[in-house]
């Protein structure tokens, strides 16, 4: 739909940006979120978040359970109101859902009464009607993630990994500028997860999306990201934003290098330290 | 070697094929169920003839069969024919069923959609649902007379409650992630309702429909018991008063078959429209 504007990086993504660009795609300033519970209490979910994300960056968000990662993602997706602060994508304040975001949930979240192809083009069907569906594009996207031939199958006929791949291409079907992913591979086994990570990096470098990727897994965050946002336990604050300066493309065995180990160790220390403070 | 193997496989295949078909038809334990039925019928027949039980207490299976045959083979204008009564009862049950389903589902969704309305009306719904609704049948006759209306109303009222309650449960059970998915695509409220909430609720609606199909006939029959000139319930009451137990039993079998048939219809519809739902998600039949 919305054509990708001039890329910020050269075709080969050999070097990742180490700091936010001067002209960021996403800006977040003193963002706060307070939940009102049913009993009337206020729960501080996010406290004073500040960060910039450049176009084309791969950003991971890690942090302990309940620190507000999903809350942050839902705010970015325009699905949730924030209490105070500013958040803007492409210079426009986030006020509601937008087709420039593609959303991937923790569960595949496919509609079980629709075929895989129907699920993939569901966003197009909703926004432009069934007539606007470009089946060639749908088939192309599906074969890109190895789902060729599964167009007419139903979700329950696919494995968890295949379902999540379908969910990813569903998020891509409208060619969004930003891909928002909430622990998309959390429910998968380690081997499938590795495979999906490699596949995701391929999609990312091919389509030049900006990705916000939430995960519990420190190695996953280091492997995928240009920068990792580490959050403190509840109430969620940013502990540190760590640039990951590993060369790309990254083969799977980059995890065995000392540099990778150093990043993982640093992040683990950071998260554990905050855990101790909270505990 | 390979030839032998193939031959053996073919023989195995042939041997197992009739068994498999039999199993599919009888559903495995179906054979046992059928054997039990035969045993009951035989001992029933034996008991009736050996102990000389009077026909006005317990008719022999053969007599019941004779009534069934007569009921279905007699000309429709013959007083012993079941056909006109079957038509009347089926019509009452069907109209009541459709009305009860439509109103129940719409109201259930509406209440679930507006929590305020749900909170306000919930006590009334609970109170009325707790009422044995059959008890209002005489009232229906006073208000609506001896025509078809009171029977249709009884069927509709009985069908209404499980449909409304299942529609509410279905609406409330929709995974919030599915709603978020639609919202993220800028779906309108109407789109969210028809493309997410209604299909997500289908397993619940079908659970309601299974109950409703049986309740619709129950409602029609109860309505006819209270006062009617036509219908299977009226006929049953008449045979009962005349001590014609063969007719009573024959009609009970017809009614049972009717309920079973309607329920089967619901199951077929469920398999067609709700094939994706896990069995464990449905309940109520
Ligand atoms: N609707 C809500 N009402 C009240 N409090 C909420 C609500 N949603 C989330 N919270 C609270 O906000 C905090 C952050 O929740 P969130 O779901 O964003 O955490 P998370 O980091 O995604 O956790 P996890 O890693 O377990 O998914 C939690 O403490 C949670 O209890
Ligand atoms: Mg979460």
């Amino acid at each position: 739909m919305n054509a990708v504007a001039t890329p910020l990086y050269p075709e080969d993504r050999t070097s990742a940006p180490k700091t936010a660009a001067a002209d960021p795609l996403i800006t977040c300033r003193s963002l706060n979120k307070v939940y009102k519970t049913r009993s009337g209490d206020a729960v501080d979910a996010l406290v004073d978040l500040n960060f910039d994300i450049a176009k084309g960056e791969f950003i991971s968000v890690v942090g302990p359970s309940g620190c507000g990662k999903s809350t942050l993602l839902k705010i970015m997706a325009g699905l949730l109101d924030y209490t105070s602060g500013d958040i803007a994508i492409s210079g426009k304040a986030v006020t509601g859902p937008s087709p420039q975001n593609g959303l991937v949930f923790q569960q595949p979240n496919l509609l079980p009464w629709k075929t895989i192809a129907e699920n993939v083009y569901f966003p197009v069907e909703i926004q432009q009607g069934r007539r606007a569906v470009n089946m060639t594009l749908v088939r192309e996207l599906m074969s890109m993630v190895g789902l060729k031939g599964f167009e007419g199958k139903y979700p329950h006929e696919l494995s968890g990994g295949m379902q999540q791949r379908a969910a990813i291409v569903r998020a891509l079907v409208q060619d969004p500028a930003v891909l928002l992913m909430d622990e998309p591979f959390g429910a998968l086994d380690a081997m499938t997860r590795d495979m999906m990570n490699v596949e995701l990096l391929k999609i990312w470098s091919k389509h030049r999306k900006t990705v916000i990727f939430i995960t519990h897994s420190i190695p996953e965050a280091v492997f995928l990201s240009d920068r990792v946002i580490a959050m403190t336990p509840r109430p969620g604050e940013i502990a540190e934003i760590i640039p990951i300066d590993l060369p790309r493309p990254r083969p799977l065995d980059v995890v065995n290098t000392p540099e990778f180990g150093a990043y993982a160790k640093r992040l683990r220390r950071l998260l554990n330290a905050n855990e101790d403070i909270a505990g | 070697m390979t030839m032998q193997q193939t031959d053996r496989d073919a023989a195995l295949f042939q041997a197992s094929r009739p068994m498999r078909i039999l199993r599919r038809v009888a559903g495995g334990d179906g054979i046992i169920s059928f054997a039990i039925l035969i045993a009951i019928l035989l001992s029933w027949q034996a008991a009736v003839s050996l102990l000389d039980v009077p026909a006005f207490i317990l008719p022999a299976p053969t007599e019941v069969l004779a009534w069934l045959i007569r009921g279905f083979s007699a000309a429709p204008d013959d007083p012993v024919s079941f056909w006109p009564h079957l038509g009347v009862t089926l019509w009452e049950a069907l109209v009541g069923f459709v009305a009860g389903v439509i109103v129940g589902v719409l109201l259930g969704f509406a209440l679930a959609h507006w929590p305020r309305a749900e909170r306000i009306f919930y006590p009334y719904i609970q109170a009325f649902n707790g009422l044995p609704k059959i008890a209002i049948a005489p009232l229906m006759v006073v208000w609506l007379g001896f025509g078809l209306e009171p029977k249709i109303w009884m069927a509709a009222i009985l069908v209404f409650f499980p449909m409304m309650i299942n529609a509410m449960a279905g609406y409330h059970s929709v995974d919030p992630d599915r709603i978020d998915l639609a919202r993220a695509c800028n779906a309108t409220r109407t789109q969210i309702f028809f493309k997410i909430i209604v299909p997500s609720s289908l397993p619940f609606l079908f659970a309601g429909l299974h109950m409703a199909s049986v309740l619709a006939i129950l409602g029609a029959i109860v309505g006819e018991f209270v006062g009617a000139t036509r219908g299977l319930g009226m006929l049953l009451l008449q045979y009962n008063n005349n001590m014609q137990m063969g007719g009573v039993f024959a009609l009970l079998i017809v009614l049972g078959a009717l309920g079973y048939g309607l329920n089967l219809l619901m199951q077929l519809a469920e398999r067609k429209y709700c094939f994706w739902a896990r069995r464990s998600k449905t309940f109520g039949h």
Side-chain angles (χ1 to χ4, degrees):
Chain A
M1 251 214 344
N2 33 354
V4 183
T6 41
L8 219 86
Y9 310 117
E11 290 293 338
D12 60 328
R13 291 174 167 275
T14 40
S15 65
K18 284 167 198 97
T19 51
D23 180 21
L25 180 74
I26 303 173
T27 55
C28 180
R29 293 281 171 277
S30 347
L31 186 75
N32 288 283
K33 172 68 188 176
V34 182
Y35 280 112
K36 288 270 184 300
T37 60
R38 216 170 270 191
S39 53
D41 305 337
V43 177
D44 282 327
L46 299 174
V47 178
D48 194 30
L49 299 195
N50 288 286
F51 57 84
D52 285 343
I53 295 172
K55 188 172 167 50
E57 258 193 303
F58 198 121
I59 300 286
S60 286
V61 181
V62 294
S65 183
C67 73
K69 304 183 292 294
S70 298
T71 303
L72 173 61
L73 202 81
K74 276 191 188 149
I75 289 175
M76 292 174 117
L79 293 172
L80 194 65
D81 290 335
Y82 42 97
T83 312
S84 65
D86 296 297
I87 182 155
I89 302 183
S90 311
K92 271 191 1 209
V94 174
T95 51
S98 151
Q100 69 174 336
N101 302 322
L103 201 54
V104 182
F105 298 79
Q106 181 162 9
Q107 302 299 325
N109 200 17
L110 299 173
L111 303 176
W113 56 86
K114 285 182 176 289
T115 64
I116 301 300
E118 286 168 349
N119 267 290
V120 168
Y121 64 65
F122 181 72
V124 183
E125 182 194 334
I126 287 284
Q127 282 185 309
Q128 300 160 60
R130 215 175 277 238
R131 291 254 186 99
V133 172
N134 177 352
M135 273 316 283
T136 321
L137 173 72
V138 169
R139 264 188 231 111
E140 210 176 277
L141 283 171
M142 285 184 68
S143 68
M144 177 180 76
V145 295
L147 287 177
K148 197 180 158 95
F150 287 91
E151 289 84 357
K153 296 266 189 251
Y154 285 90
H156 67 263
E157 298 172 300
L158 269 61
S159 73
M162 292 161 93
Q163 289 186 28
Q164 197 54 286
R165 274 182 271 165
I168 291 172
V169 288
R170 173 179 61 192
L172 291 172
V173 76
Q174 290 198 295
D175 196 17
V178 182
L179 210 49
L180 301 169
M181 311 178 86
D182 192 351
E183 293 188 52
F185 308 139
L188 303 179
D189 61 273
M191 253 160 68
T192 315
R193 196 168 178 157
D194 281 350
M195 219 181 63
M196 298 292 291
N197 282 337
V198 172
E199 214 149 351
L200 179 60
L201 281 186
K202 263 193 228 151
I203 293 170
W204 170 68
S205 60
K206 192 170 160 206
H207 293 255
R208 285 194 219 91
K209 304 290 177 200
T210 306
V211 181
I212 319 293
F213 187 95
I214 286 172
T215 178
H216 267 129
S217 159
I218 289 171
E220 190 174 62
V222 175
F223 176 71
L224 292 171
S225 315
D226 292 327
R227 289 187 295 154
V228 178
I229 299 180
M231 293 184 65
T232 63
R234 208 177 112 186
E237 287 173 86
I238 293 181
E240 200 177 335
I241 301 181
I242 301 179
I244 307 295
D245 201 1
L246 295 169
R248 292 187 191 270
R250 293 176 189 162
L252 258 181
D253 56 16
V254 73
V255 299
N256 300 322
T257 62
E259 292 83 4
F260 188 98
Y263 281 123
K265 198 167 163 188
R266 187 168 155 204
L267 267 167
R268 192 160 287 125
R269 278 231 183 99
L270 193 62
L271 294 178
N272 284 345
N274 281 305
E275 199 92 65
D276 292 344
I277 294 167
Chain B
M1 260 292 272
T2 22
M3 262 311 268
Q4 271 179 348
Q5 183 87 39
T6 324
D7 281 354
R8 218 183 42 204
D9 283 354
L12 244 158
F13 179 70
Q14 269 171 9
S16 61
R17 215 171 97 105
M19 265 315 283
R20 257 187 291 157
I21 290 171
L22 197 68
R23 253 194 221 130
R24 201 170 304 157
V25 170
D29 291 337
I31 289 185
I32 300 173
S33 305
F34 189 67
I36 290 175
L37 176 71
I38 296 293
I40 289 174
L41 286 177
L42 283 178
S43 41
W44 176 2
Q45 184 80 33
V48 169
S49 46
L50 288 179
L51 303 176
D52 227 4
V53 181
F56 63 83
I57 290 182
L58 187 67
T62 43
E63 199 198 330
V64 176
L65 189 67
W67 273 93
L68 271 174
I69 292 169
R70 192 145 29 106
F72 283 113
S73 59
D77 52 354
D78 192 315
V80 296
S81 173
F82 291 162
W83 290 112
H85 301 286
L86 184 65
V88 166
T89 303
L90 211 55
W91 176 250
E92 293 160 351
L94 227 59
V95 175
F97 178 80
V98 171
V101 167
I102 291 174
V103 177
V105 169
L106 289 182
L107 210 68
F109 278 149
L111 286 181
H113 185 77
W114 288 288
R116 181 110 193 265
E118 187 178 337
R119 279 197 301 275
I120 292 171
F121 289 109
Y122 198 66
Y124 295 101
I125 295 162
Q126 286 289 72
F128 203 69
N129 197 27
L131 182 79
K133 284 166 282 295
I134 288 169
I136 61 175
L139 196 62
M140 289 286 138
V141 173
V142 173
W143 284 351
L144 301 166
F146 291 90
L148 300 187
E149 293 87 351
K151 291 91 184 173
I152 292 173
W153 272 91
M154 278 312 295
I157 288 170
L158 288 186
V159 164
F160 168 81
F161 279 95
M163 288 320 294
M164 183 182 68
I165 285 163
N166 273 288
M168 283 167 75
Y171 190 108
H172 287 312
S173 75
V174 179
D175 185 349
D177 273 358
R178 282 189 190 160
I179 309 236
D180 272 352
L181 169 72
R183 283 182 58 215
C185 306
N186 271 329
T188 61
R189 281 161 168 267
T190 321
Q191 281 177 321
I192 291 178
F193 182 71
F194 284 108
K195 289 185 185 281
I196 302 288
I197 291 172
V198 172
S200 292
S201 306
L202 274 185
F204 285 85
L205 296 185
F206 270 106
L209 285 173
H210 285 300
M211 284 189 256
S213 61
V214 176
L215 288 174
I217 295 176
L218 180 67
I221 297 295
V222 166
E224 289 173 3
F225 275 0
V226 179
T229 51
R230 286 178 301 164
L232 292 177
M234 185 282 306
L235 198 61
L236 188 132
L237 216 55
Q238 187 183 318
Y239 287 154
N240 205 62
N241 292 340
N242 296 346
M243 297 289 192
Q244 291 168 305
M245 288 304 138
V248 170
F249 272 74
L251 283 176
L252 286 178
I253 290 171
V254 172
L255 288 173
L258 214 60
Y260 182 76
L262 274 186
N263 207 284
L264 208 65
L265 224 61
M266 293 304 121
Q267 267 176 44
L268 288 180
E270 181 173 17
R271 217 168 290 170
K272 182 155 164 35
Y273 296 107
C274 211
F275 58 91
W276 44 269
R278 298 270 157 77
R279 213 69 201 112
S280 60
K281 272 191 191 161
T282 61
F283 53 83
H285 59 115

